[in-house]
Amino acid sequence: MTATQIILLIAAYFVVLILISYFTGKEDSNDAFFKANKSAPWYLVAFGMIGASLSGVTFISVPGAVEAKQFGYLQVVFGYFFGYLVIAYVLLPIYYKLNLTSIYTYLKDRFGNVSYKTGSVAFLISRVIGAAFRLFLVAKVLQLLIFDQYGIPFTITVIITIALIWLYTFKGGIKTIIFTDTLQTLFMLISVVVTIMFLASALDLNSISEIYTNAKESAMSKTFFFEDINDAQYFIKSFLAGMFITITMTGLDQDMMQKNLTCKNLKEAQKNMVSFSVVLIFVNILFLVLGLMLTQYANKHGITAKKDDLFPTIAMLPDIGIMTSAFFLLGLIAAAYSSADSALTSLTTSFCIDIIELDKKPKASQKRIRKQTHVFISVLLVIVIVLFDAIFKDVSVIWELFKAAGYTYGPLLGLFALGIFTKTQLKDKYVWIVAIIAPIVSYFINKYSVDLLNGYQIGFEILIINGLLTFLGLILIRRKQN
């Protein structure tokens, strides 16, 4: 595809999103923006969450990492499933019972205002970094495919990327996103299937059974790693990391929970979560098979590409055909924006409710403040993405994303675990100190783990360690009962 064709395709795509925004954003109220008036159908939320959970990072990085990591990522995915069950039957009942808009108000009721603000800030840092990682990856692909050809700087690419999200979310917020995410998930899955069909033909695989046999017999499809406990991909480490990544990055994350809280009641929210968790396993298998076939195609044709460039490099080859290239671009954009648009909305929600406490502002100015916050968060994401461009070069972004999550979500894990599973009360004013110290100690444990732990290499389980350190640190500042 030429750069002009790509621009026309993207323009047409966003015209559709803006039309959806127009029809769903007619009610420009804060209640619709934050909670969709608690009227979203659970099945739409579940389907849309597939795209939001996978994002452009999964779309690009999971296939790109297969050659180096095999199918080891599936161990993490199995952990996801059990994490979603914890969310459905432990966390969601609490959120619905308290009728929360921001889930971090639970910490205020449980421990006090400082705990509440600490949890909110931890989320804001976590989600800004996570959203920036995801958008950084997609902006780099758009830069490679389009904007480099016109000599447009990367910073301008990022501004355009964020501005488009702002354009279709600034009125309807989460109410619009419920519908746009459904469309975007559909495009993403069609894109993967279309690309697999092309690769199957190019690799002389003429049926689903042959695709299955090809994957099964490949050394790259090794899924379970039990040989070396020191290996970062050791099964128990990966499984537990996946479980706790889900509990924190979904269950303790305003972005993902805001969608669940738009359902009519707890029962529908639980149906959404359980059905979504099952489908997600099969979708991730699809991405891993895609990564295997992309690597085989690249080896067959002598194509060399960096990890996260593998899929876009092959998808845009002239030999692959304009239709496959078009669906790749639609899938990439859909995957990226289905997570980024909800991140922008949830960050706006959390900042308004948790940080500046919008409900305490004059009624007449609340909507204006919400819109100003939406712009502020958009600008912040631009700045962080541009910084990432200076820091991260030849890396697989999904692994960097999980590393970052291990440090930023740990304090949330410790705080919620203490609140839910104990009756301990805290000296609230000291909570922020524990939330700073625990990630710092976790970082040094991770950095020197091989020397300190007799060759043991810490992987994603740094999140568990960080959460445990936070939990223990909070115990030290517990308030004595009279």
Side-chain angles (χ1 to χ4, degrees):
M1 295 182 72
T2 65
T4 302
Q5 289 172 325
I6 294 172
I7 290 173
L8 290 173
L9 179 68
I10 294 173
Y13 179 78
F14 276 98
V15 167
V16 174
L17 292 185
I18 291 167
L19 282 173
I20 294 174
S21 174
Y22 172 77
F23 288 110
T24 58
K26 288 183 177 180
E27 183 187 349
D28 189 18
S29 67
N30 283 352
D31 193 53
F33 186 94
F34 295 142
K35 297 193 291 185
N37 300 318
K38 293 188 78 68
S39 61
W42 70 268
Y43 45 87
L44 283 183
V45 177
F47 190 71
M49 280 183 66
I50 295 171
S53 297
L54 294 173
S55 79
V57 174
T58 305
F59 194 83
I60 297 295
S61 278
V62 169
V66 166
E67 185 173 20
K69 305 282 188 179
Q70 295 88 51
F71 278 21
Y73 179 63
L74 201 56
Q75 299 176 123
V76 180
V77 174
F78 290 141
Y80 290 169
F81 175 78
F82 288 92
Y84 288 124
L85 294 182
V86 172
I87 294 168
Y89 296 105
V90 176
L91 295 177
L92 281 177
I94 295 172
Y95 299 155
Y96 269 84
K97 181 180 179 181
L98 298 175
N99 192 29
L100 302 180
T101 298
S102 167
I103 63 175
Y104 306 113
T105 51
Y106 164 78
L107 297 175
K108 184 177 184 178
D109 296 336
R110 181 65 177 80
F111 296 123
N113 198 57
V114 174
S115 298
Y116 170 45
K117 298 296 184 184
T118 300
S120 303
V121 170
F123 162 72
L124 288 168
I125 294 171
S126 301
R127 183 46 66 178
V128 165
I129 292 173
F133 261 126
R134 292 174 171 94
L135 284 167
F136 163 68
L137 180 60
V138 178
K140 291 294 284 185
V141 173
L142 293 177
Q143 184 72 26
L144 175 68
L145 298 179
I146 306 172
F147 296 106
D148 276 344
Q149 300 182 44
Y150 294 100
I152 296 173
F154 180 71
T155 301
I156 302 300
T157 303
V158 174
I159 292 172
I160 292 171
T161 302
I162 300 295
L164 288 170
I165 299 174
W166 178 88
L167 190 62
Y168 71 85
T169 60
F170 82 100
K171 286 185 71 176
I174 196 68
K175 187 176 181 181
T176 295
I177 286 166
I178 296 299
F179 290 93
T180 56
D181 277 5
T182 300
L183 178 68
Q184 292 177 149
T185 298
L186 180 63
F187 277 131
M188 183 189 68
L189 296 179
I190 291 174
S191 173
V192 174
V193 172
V194 168
T195 308
I196 287 177
M197 288 171 61
F198 166 81
L199 293 169
S201 176
L203 295 170
D204 297 320
L205 304 172
N206 301 313
S207 65
I208 294 176
S209 63
E210 289 187 13
I211 294 173
Y212 170 77
T213 302
N214 174 65
K216 183 179 179 181
E217 294 178 352
S218 172
M220 285 183 286
S221 67
K222 181 180 179 181
T223 301
F224 299 105
F225 294 77
F226 293 103
E227 296 83 3
D228 182 6
I229 194 172
N230 292 330
D231 185 356
Q233 288 204 104
Y234 186 68
F235 173 77
I236 294 175
K237 295 161 67 174
S238 296
F239 178 86
L240 289 176
M243 182 174 174
F244 281 92
I245 284 170
T246 294
I247 292 170
T248 51
M249 293 183 71
T250 298
L252 305 182
D253 185 285
Q254 177 65 24
D255 184 354
M256 300 302 291
M257 285 297 97
Q258 190 167 352
K259 293 185 178 72
N260 282 271
L261 296 175
T262 63
C263 293
K264 295 176 183 178
N265 52 52
L266 173 60
K267 187 176 180 180
E268 292 211 349
Q270 289 174 324
K271 283 196 291 186
N272 154 51
M273 186 58 63
V274 173
S275 58
F276 154 72
S277 66
V278 174
V279 173
L280 199 62
I281 294 174
F282 294 99
V283 172
N284 274 286
I285 291 172
L286 204 62
F287 273 99
L288 289 167
V289 171
L290 171 64
L292 169 65
M293 295 172 71
L294 284 168
T295 304
Q296 290 173 330
Y297 183 88
N299 292 338
K300 181 178 179 180
H301 294 274
I303 297 170
T304 57
K306 298 175 183 178
K307 298 181 182 71
D308 287 341
D309 291 342
L310 179 63
F311 193 1
T313 297
I314 293 176
M316 300 310 294
L317 290 173
D319 294 344
I320 203 169
I322 190 169
M323 186 62 70
T324 306
S325 296
F327 272 111
F328 161 75
L329 281 170
L330 283 174
L332 172 64
I333 296 164
Y337 282 93
S338 63
S339 61
D341 54 17
S342 59
L344 182 56
T345 302
S346 64
L347 286 166
T348 301
T349 301
S350 182
F351 195 88
C352 284
I353 292 174
D354 302 325
I355 304 301
I356 62 177
E357 299 186 25
L358 187 65
D359 59 324
K360 296 181 179 179
K361 305 295 181 183
K363 197 81 173 177
S365 62
Q366 288 182 5
K367 187 187 294 186
R368 174 179 54 81
I369 293 171
R370 183 253 293 172
K371 291 182 177 181
Q372 290 173 342
T373 302
H374 203 208
V375 173
F376 165 72
I377 297 296
S378 300
V379 173
L380 178 63
L381 284 174
V382 170
I383 293 170
V384 176
I385 293 168
V386 172
L387 287 174
F388 280 177
D389 184 48
I391 298 171
F392 298 101
K393 297 299 180 183
D394 184 19
V395 297
S396 180
V397 173
I398 192 167
W399 309 107
E400 298 302 320
L401 175 62
F402 286 154
K403 284 180 188 176
Y407 298 110
T408 59
Y409 280 94
L412 281 172
L413 179 60
L415 269 167
F416 274 86
L418 189 75
I420 293 169
F421 298 113
T422 76
K423 295 183 178 180
T424 302
Q425 293 298 323
L426 300 175
K427 295 177 182 176
D428 185 53
K429 62 182 179 180
Y430 299 119
V431 167
W432 67 274
I433 299 174
V434 175
I436 291 175
I437 292 175
I440 293 174
V441 174
S442 300
Y443 171 79
F444 284 103
I445 291 174
N446 188 23
K447 184 175 182 179
Y448 299 106
S449 64
V450 175
D451 297 326
L452 293 173
L453 304 174
N454 195 30
Y456 183 86
Q457 182 180 358
I458 294 175
F460 296 153
E461 70 271 25
I462 191 63
L463 171 62
I464 303 172
I465 294 170
N466 193 1
L468 180 61
L469 288 173
T470 302
F471 186 95
L472 295 175
L474 293 172
I475 291 293
L476 293 177
I477 60 166
R478 67 185 183 275
R479 198 168 65 218
K480 292 182 179 179
Q481 301 296 315
N482 294 327

